[in-house]
């Protein structure tokens, strides 16, 4: 195994240390002899009884170590003091021990018993540091002792000790890889730990020991996502990097449609998504038929929970999130990272260096992302050269038709810089801009030609090389430039430039028939003194001229070939021999010589000037390998997206106890959060017990309102006892108490009601049979998604199995637990009503609570909103009838996809089908007669539509938040038609995800005039739940806001043009009536929306 | 398979001597630094040493901090920024402990440095980097304490686990007590700009930070709000700031660390026009013959919002061919270092009635072609009591403690990377 050898290498390195090292430090040579004497007095001091003397001695020894001097002969004297009472002496002894134990294994063993004692110390700091030192002593004999210590520490009460245990795991692993299996067990255990302190360290251990065991992450995935924001910064980096890899194996590519359909990415992206909703199946054949992409809620969870970390002060964290977004987020969302990355450019130059490398790679793939920040990459004369060159790279990547003139103006300033390496890089950058952007090619070329008269040879040489590449693209027009360059051969000495000129003249000798032979003449003169690359080009030139201009150059060419024949360099001799055979065949003439002209003067493809950062993104961004553009040792390949998503249920099913109560699990984490901080996580090791007993109490209690009162009491008690004087807690508690007083009875009532309704559902859906106890699950089930239904079956199976064990647990589980744990149980028990508790936390929460709310959102509300529009609700409208259109029929629908070229526009998917006998050509939009403010982004012209064929395109219309129709002319090659698109009010918005709290808060701002509400009588009372939700989301492009009650439905969206919030509340009252309320700043929209929703619900 | 993140650390001074080494795993021979020295000798300037250097068996990741290189030895794949950021944190900690992070201060405190490194990194992975936690573990040196320690034999090392280490707010220690409770905030804004030859602004933006010095008893929970939070475009926070509150209400809500820290950094929305406080009139030219050049620079106030501009310093990197200068200034002093070719003109406070001017001739090497580019001028300045973006703190509220703290906000605007191309 590689560790073994790596380890041995290390050892080899260290044992050979000592003496030779002194060579580096001349000063130490002199003191060396006296060191021995001084060591004697150090030994004396260490043997004394006085701590102060010992300390002094240890300090001097440590200083020696720090300076890299050998102090190994003091080992016996030092190791005696390992049990010293003085903490500082002890620490310094530890430092010494860790440094030299490997070299003096036998003596080191003497100290082991002290550490073993330390492991049992009541002081957690001492336990932890004993474990740290014990695991840092690289002595193979003590591996079993280390193993035991780690296992014990992994279940220690103190999270700090558990963290230390996590740190010890890789140490032991590198010492003895045989222990892997046992260590994985410990890792598995620690991964289940719920304290933020441990999370980062254990993931680090995981990455080092068993990064391939991705299965260990499944059941901890959501927890890690949710804890992330409270983990210390270094842990965050490790976790984010690991989760990036995890997500790549578990979720589907959010940009899959785009990447599969290749070039016409954007069009296809929309097209294929909307496919499903159409009635007309035939037309689907036009585009690749795929299942619509629906993001896994867990994928979304990861993206959402990492996003706030872009605001971290730690550059490594920001970079980690940025690479996560780059590798995992849908194309439309990646943009958020640009701002944060640009911010990092203000940091130290080393940080800038790394960030710029990554920006350079990203800017190739996603140019639009950094375009707004173009000016942030402008170069200052004080930047270090390596930074300048990287900025230049980014600027070149960002160049396009619109900004090229500004960029070239900047480049002009750079060319005059005193930093010549930088000037050379600028010239290359100009060359790349010229190749990429045709419009400026001539301008660039002229600029470069001017540089040929620059005084600095390096600049001229670089220009020649770049000009050569540019000329190759269109040589005919530039014979004067070639002539100009031919003159340069007299002055330019840089070999690369000379070689380039000669190549150019040879290649295009027909354009400069008079000059070329003369150049060869001059070159023949200096041949012997030229560099090798120049000689090779002289040979080339000679050969080409011999073929095209035999009369003038025959003798010259032969002369040159003869010179080359006796050259020192065998490459040149070879080349000469080769050329001679080809062009001046002996005797009968080789067959090849007929083709000599073709061989030498074949048309050569123009070189592609491309960024050195191209394709670097196959390395995980932010990694060392990416930076070096070479695989570093231990680099974990970033896996490709799977074709089919692995079973998403692994993340909730793995732990059987949790299957039924995924929502409770979340709730529980929410509850436990306060404990991370103070009650130093007894919750950690006992965590599985928690969940079980929680289950138990849950099913036991059912409806006892009395008991829930009790709980809340004891809960705040336990908080009291845990107080370490943290203010945050106090306020939270106060408010909570208030809520409990008012809300307790209500909560238990809700509780009952929830149960009842769940029972009802059970009756309603005997087919699914799975007795879905929580509401969320049932709503996902009913959302009719294909993918879900598969997992549903398996869910149902497992649930059936679980049923009996679950009820057994009720009686069994609580008993074996100790009493103190019952306290925790009660905490967890609080309940189904907890969503109502959360508003309170808003005052104090460190962001976690809202995050957790978000979690419930992903599970329940997200899936219906994301799925339903794609399935049920896409309604086709007629734009042009077959008869009026003379065979061309046009339909459109609102695809509800974001229109990426302009976020303010509504994406309208237009479908053309040609029902006539003839081809329809040049289908396009013209003469838009729009209301003021309205804008249309037309689709690219459809060139030909064959008879019987159909095509689908996407266009964007900014309706300015009004339902006024957009009128325009639809033209074909023969005719034009006046058509208009009028949007239903519900299509003028895009969904907004928000929590219940945010919703209520926003609603508070939109009262009075901005609130419109209407009542309605429903047809059937049993269908008020998800069906209503579906109807509403099909009537308008809204997203559901998660909410605790099943009588209220909330939806949120914002209008596309102005971004005003649209908040919809549907409350079912009594039996059959419901009230629809819309809060929106735009009253017209509100009024119309209410009508539309009423209509949708009542149908 | 990954091993340790940071294997070893070498501190190297600007004359390429290793003056400290620390290994967290098996010892890596000093000779690994030869690769670094090679890159160092190639680089024209210490800043140009590549931060990441691959060697056959290791990777070297380094930072340059006030004339000292911190070189970390890495054996395996790691996020380079992770190491760079950590090394900066180490340097900042030294600075915090010893007042400066230099070769001398490190050599003088070798033992504390070693103890710190031991706590900051375990097996190459960061353990405790919060200065509040570290200060409980290892007390910073003071003269008084070192005297007391020598007499009594007591130590600098704490024997209890710092409370912060276990809490969810690791940045604050428990049991803080002050007799005067004070909370001061410094709003510091920097103008980054590139001004072109003709005086028009090529690029300008405002970056700001809010540094806090908080000496409050107990566990105060502070809320800082702004009059115009919309100005802030991009922000990054100290971990103590509750991000969700910022998202929803645009207020900074936090339980502060004890002492001084950077609360937030921000970038002002680029839609706002940036006021450029000074203008520069310049006329620098090199004559082809005669081996001399002219230098004439005047600075005047532009958009200063009625405040005085202070601390003006103009730095110019003159071309290599300039041998010496003969200049006279109406204000302040100037110095020219013929070795580094750096001209520094320290003007100080600007007097709008009589504009500061620096004028004279440059003597140049003869027989050498004149430089093509004129040097650019780097300008530093300071304007007190002004945040150039117009950002204003509205109020500071404290919850959770009974006493009334003394509060204060100070604004200052500086020039950041302010460059005038000539």
């Amino acid at each position: 195994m590689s560790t073994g050898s790596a380890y041995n290498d290390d050892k080899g390195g260290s044992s050979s240390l000592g003496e030779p090292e002194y060579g580096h430090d001349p000063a130490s040579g002199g003191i060396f002899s006296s060191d021995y004497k001084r060591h004697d007095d150090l030994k004396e001091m260490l043997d004394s009884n006085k701590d102060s003397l010992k300390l002094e001695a240890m300090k001097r020894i440590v200083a020696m170590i720090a300076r890299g001097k050998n102090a190994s002969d003091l080992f016996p004297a030092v190791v005696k003091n390992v049990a010293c009472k003085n903490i500082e002496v002890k620490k310094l002894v530890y430092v010494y021990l860790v440094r030299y134990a490997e070299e003096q294994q036998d003596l080191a063993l003497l100290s082991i018993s002290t550490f073993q004692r330390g492991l049992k110390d009541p002081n957690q700091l001492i336990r932890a540091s004993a474990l740290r030192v014990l695991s840092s002593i690289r002595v193979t004999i003590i591996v079993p002792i280390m193993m035991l210590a780690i296992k014990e520490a992994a279940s220690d009460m103190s999270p700090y000790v558990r963290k230390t245990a996590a740190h010890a795991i890789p140490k032991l692993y590198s010492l003895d890889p045989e222990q892997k299996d046992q260590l994985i067990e410990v890792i598995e255990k620690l991964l289940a730990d719920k304290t933020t302190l441990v999370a980062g360290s254990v993931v680090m251990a995981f990455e080092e020991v068993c990064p391939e065991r991705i299965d260990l992450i499944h059941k901890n995935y959501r927890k890690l996502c949710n804890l992330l924001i409270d983990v210390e910064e270094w842990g965050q980096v490790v976790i984010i990097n690991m989760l990036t890899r995890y997500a790549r194996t578990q979720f589907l590519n959010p940009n899959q449609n785009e990447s599969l359909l290749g070039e016409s990415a954007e069009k296809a992206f929309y097209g294929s998504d909307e496919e499903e909703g159409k009635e007309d199946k035939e037309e689907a054949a036009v585009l690749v038929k795929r299942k619509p992409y629906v993001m896994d809620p867990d994928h979304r969870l990861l993206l959402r929970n990492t996003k706030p970390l872009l605001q971290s002060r730690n550059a490594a964290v920001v970079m980690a999130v940025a690479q996560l977004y780059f590798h995992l987020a849908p194309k439309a969302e990646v943009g958020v990272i640009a701002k944060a990355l640009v911010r990092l450019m203000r940091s130290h130059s080393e940080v800038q260096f790394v960030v710029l490398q990554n920006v350079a790679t990203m800017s190739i793939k996603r140019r639009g992302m950094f375009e707004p920040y173009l000016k942030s990459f402008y170069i200052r004369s004080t930047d270090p050269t390596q930074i300048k060159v990287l900025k230049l790279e980014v600027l070149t990547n960002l160049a396009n038709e619109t900004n090229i003139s500004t960029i070239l103006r900047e480049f002009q300033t750079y060319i005059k810089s005193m930093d010549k390496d930088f000037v050379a890089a600028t010239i290359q950058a100009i060359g790349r801009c010229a190749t990429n952007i045709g419009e400026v090619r001539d301008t660039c070329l002229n600029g470069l030609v001017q540089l040929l008269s620059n005084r600095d040879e390096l600049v001229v040489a670089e220009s020649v090389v770049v000009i050569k590449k540019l000329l190759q693209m269109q040589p005919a027009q530039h014979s004067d430039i070639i002539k100009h360059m031919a003159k340069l051969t007299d002055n330019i000495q840089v070999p690369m430039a000379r070689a380039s000129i000669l190549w150019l003249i040879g290649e295009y000798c027909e354009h400069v028939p008079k000059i070329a032979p003369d150049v060869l003449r001059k070159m023949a003169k200096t041949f012997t003194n030229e560099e090798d690359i120049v000689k090779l080009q002289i040979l080339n030139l000679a050969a080409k001229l011999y073929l095209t201009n035999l009369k003038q150059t025959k003798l010259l060419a032969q002369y040159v070939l003869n010179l080359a024949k006796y050259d020192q360099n065998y490459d040149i001799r070879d080349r000469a021999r080769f050329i001679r055979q080809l062009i001046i065949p002996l005797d009968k003439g080789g067959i090849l010589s007929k083709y000599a002209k073709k061989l030498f003067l074949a048309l050569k493809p123009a070189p592609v000037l491309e960024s050195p950062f191209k394709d670097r993104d196959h390395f995980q961004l932010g990694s060392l390998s990416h930076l070096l553009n070479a695989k570093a040792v231990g680099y974990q390949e970033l896996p490709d997206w799977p074709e089919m998503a692995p079973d998403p249920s692994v993340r909730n099913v793995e732990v059987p106890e949790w299957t039924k109560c995924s929502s409770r699990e979340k709730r529980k984490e929410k509850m436990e959060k306060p404990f991370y901080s103070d009650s130093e996580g007894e919750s950690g090791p006992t965590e599985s017990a928690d969940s079980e007993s929680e289950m138990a109490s849950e099913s036991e209690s059912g409806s006892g309102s009395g008991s829930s009162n009790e709980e809340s009491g004891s809960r705040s008690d336990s908080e009291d006892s845990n107080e370490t004087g943290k203010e945050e807690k106090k306020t939270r508690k106060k408010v909570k108490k208030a809520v409990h007083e008012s809300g307790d009875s209500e909560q238990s009532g809700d509780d009952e009601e929830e149960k009842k309704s769940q029972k009802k559902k059970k009756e309603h859906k005997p087919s699914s049979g799975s007795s879905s106890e929580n509401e969320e699950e049932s709503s996902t089930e009913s959302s009719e998604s294909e993918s879900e239904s598969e997992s549903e079956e398996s869910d149902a199976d497992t649930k059936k199995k679980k049923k009996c064990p679950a009820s057994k647990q009720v009686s069994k589980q609580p008993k074996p637990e100790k009493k103190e744990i019952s306290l925790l149980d009660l905490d967890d028990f609080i309940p189904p009503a907890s969503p109502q508790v959360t508003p309170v936390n808003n005052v104090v929460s460190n962001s976690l609570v809202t995050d957790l709310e978000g979690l419930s959102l992903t599970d329940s509300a997200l899936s219906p909103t994301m799925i339903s529009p794609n399935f049920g609700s896409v309604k086709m409208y007629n734009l042009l009838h077959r008869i009026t259109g003379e065979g061309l029929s046009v339909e459109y629908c609102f695809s509800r996809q974001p229109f990426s070229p302009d976020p303010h526009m509504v994406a309208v998917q237009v479908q053309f089908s040609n029902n006539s006998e003839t081809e329809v050509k040049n289908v396009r939009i013209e003469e838009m007669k729009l209301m003021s403010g309205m804008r249309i982004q037309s689709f690219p012209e459809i060139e030909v539509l064959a008879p019987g064929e159909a095509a689908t395109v996407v266009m964007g219309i900014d309706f300015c938040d009004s339902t006024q129709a957009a009128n325009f002319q639809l033209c074909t090659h023969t005719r034009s038609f006046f058509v208009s698109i009028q949007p239903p009010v519900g299509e003028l918005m895009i969904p907004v995800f928000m929590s219940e709290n945010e919703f209520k808060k926003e609603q508070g701002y939109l009262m009075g005039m901005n609130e419109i509400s209407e009542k309605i009588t429903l047809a059937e009372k049993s269908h008020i739940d998800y069906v209503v939700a579906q109807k509403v989301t099909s009537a308008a492009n809204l997203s559901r806001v998660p909410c605790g009650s099943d009588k209220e439905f909330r939806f949120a969206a914002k209008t596309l043009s102005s971004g005003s919030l649209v908040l919809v509340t549907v409350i079912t009252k009594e039996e059959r009536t419901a009230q629809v309320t819309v809060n929106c700043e735009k009253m017209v929209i509100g009024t119309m929306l209410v009508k539309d929703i009423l209509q949708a619900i009542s149908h | 398979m990954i091993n340790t993140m940071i294997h070893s650390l070498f501190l190297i001074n600007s004359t390429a001597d290793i003056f400290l080494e620390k290994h967290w795993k098996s010892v890596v021979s000093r000779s690994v630094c030869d690769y670094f020295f090679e890159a160092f000798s190639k680089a024209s300037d210490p800043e140009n040493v590549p931060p990441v250097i691959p060697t056959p068996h290791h990777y070297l990741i380094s930072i340059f901090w006030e004339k000292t290189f911190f070189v970390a030895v890495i054996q395996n794949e790691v996020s380079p920024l992770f190491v760079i950021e950590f090394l900066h944190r180490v340097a900042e900690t030294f600075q915090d402990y010893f007042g400066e992070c230099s070769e001398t201060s490190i050599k003088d405190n070798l033992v504390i440095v070693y103890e710190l490194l031991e706590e900051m990194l375990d097996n190459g992975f960061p353990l405790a980097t919060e200065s509040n936690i570290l200060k409980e573990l290892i007390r910073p040196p003071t003269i008084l304490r070192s005297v007391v320690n020598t007499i009594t034999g007591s130590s600098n090392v704490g024997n209890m686990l710092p409370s912060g280490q276990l809490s969810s707010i690791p940045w604050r220690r428990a049991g803080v007590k002050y007799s005067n409770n004070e909370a001061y905030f410094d709003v510091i804004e920097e103008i980054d700009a590139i001004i072109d030859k003709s005086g028009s602004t090529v690029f300008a933006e405002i970056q700001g930070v809010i540094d806090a010095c908080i000496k409050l008893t107990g566990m105060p929970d502070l809320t800082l709000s702004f009059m115009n939070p919309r100005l802030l475009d991009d922000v990054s926070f100290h971990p103590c700031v509750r991000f969700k509150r910022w998202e929803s209400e645009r207020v900074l809500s936090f339980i502060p660390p004890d002492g001084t820290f950077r609360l937030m950094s921000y970038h002002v929305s680029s839609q706002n026009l940036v006021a450029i406080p000074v203008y520069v009139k310049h006329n620098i030219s090199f004559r082809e013959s005669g081996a001399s050049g002219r230098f004439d620079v005047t600075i005047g106030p532009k958009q200063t919002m009625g405040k005085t501009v202070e601390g003006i310093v103009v730095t110019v990197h003159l071309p290599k061919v300039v041998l010496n200068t003969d200049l006279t200034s109406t204000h302040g002093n100037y110095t020219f270092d013929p070795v580094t070719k750096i001209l520094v003109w320290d003007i100080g406070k600007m007097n709008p009635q009589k504009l500061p001017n620096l004028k004279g001739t440059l003597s140049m090497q003869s027989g050498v072609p004149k430089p093509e580019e004129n040097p650019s001028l780097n300008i530093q300045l300071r304007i007190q009591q002004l945040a150039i973006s117009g950002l204003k703190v509205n109020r500071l509220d404290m919850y959770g403690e009974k006493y009334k703290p003394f509060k204060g906000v100070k604004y200052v605007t500086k020039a950041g990377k302010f460059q005038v191309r000539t």
Side-chain angles (χ1 to χ4, degrees), chain A residues 937-1001:
Chain A
Q937 170 99 44
S938 172
F939 52 85
E941 180 176 313
I942 301 174
E943 285 179 12
V944 181
L945 197 60
E949 256 190 29
T952 309
V953 294
V954 178
M955 60 188 286
I957 305 178
D958 184 353
F959 285 105
C960 293
D961 293 348
S962 91
T963 51
Q964 297 284 344
N967 302 312
F968 53 88
Q969 249 183 1
L970 201 61
C971 300
T972 67
H973 65 302
T974 50
R975 285 211 47 183
S976 60
F977 310 97
F978 280 101
V979 290
S980 70
I981 292 181
Q982 183 165 27
V985 65
E987 304 298 343
L988 296 175
M989 46 198 74
I990 47 163
V992 173
F993 298 108
M994 53 167 69
S995 69
E996 201 176 356
N997 295 334
E998 287 165 323
F999 186 93
K1000 284 184 171 162
K1001 209 183 86 209

Side-chain angles (χ1 to χ4, degrees), chain A residues 299-319:
Chain A
H299 189 173
R300 173 56 61 199
L301 173 75
L302 177 61
L303 291 176
R304 195 184 28 240
N305 284 9
T306 46
K307 197 173 165 190
L309 295 177
L310 282 175
Q311 254 65 47
S312 172
R313 65 170 169 173
N314 187 318
V317 176
V318 177
M319 191 63 231

Side-chain angles (χ1 to χ4, degrees), chain A residues 790-806:
Chain A
E790 284 166 23
S791 64
E792 192 187 295
E793 273 171 30
S794 62
D795 267 10
D797 277 339
T798 40
K799 273 176 202 155
K800 271 175 199 159
K801 283 176 206 157
K802 297 289 143 52
K803 246 189 170 177
C804 337

Side-chain angles (χ1 to χ4, degrees), chain A residues 9-10 12-18 20-21 24 99, chain B residues 7-8 10 18 21 23 26-35 58 60 73:
Chain A
D9 282 350
D10 286 355
S14 62
S15 54
S16 68
L17 179 112
E21 267 192 18
H24 293 283
R99 171 69 179 76
Chain B
H7 224 279
S8 305
F10 293 97
I18 302 173
E21 63 179 71
H23 308 273
S26 298
V27 177
V28 177
S29 161
R30 280 181 168 214
S31 58
V32 77
C33 291
D34 291 351
Y35 294 97
H58 301 91
L60 304 178
V73 182

Side-chain angles (χ1 to χ4, degrees), chain A residues 646-709:
Chain A
D647 185 9
S649 61
V650 285
R651 282 180 292 279
N652 41 17
V653 177
E654 275 278 301
V655 180
E657 288 89 335
W658 290 5
T659 39
K660 285 201 194 171
C661 49
S662 61
S663 68
R664 260 155 240 157
E665 174 198 336
K666 279 162 240 146
R667 216 176 290 138
K668 189 158 70 78
E669 281 185 14
K670 204 185 294 173
M671 300 284 86
E672 271 191 8
K673 178 58 195 157
F675 293 100
Y676 296 143
S677 39
D678 0 19
S679 78
E680 44 171 81
E682 269 89 341
S683 52
T686 57
E687 162 243 328
S688 60
D690 283 359
S691 63
E692 281 160 9
S693 47
E694 184 217 353
M695 261 282 308
S697 50
E698 185 69 53
S699 41
E700 246 174 3
S701 76
S703 59
S705 67
S707 69
S708 79
N709 266 331

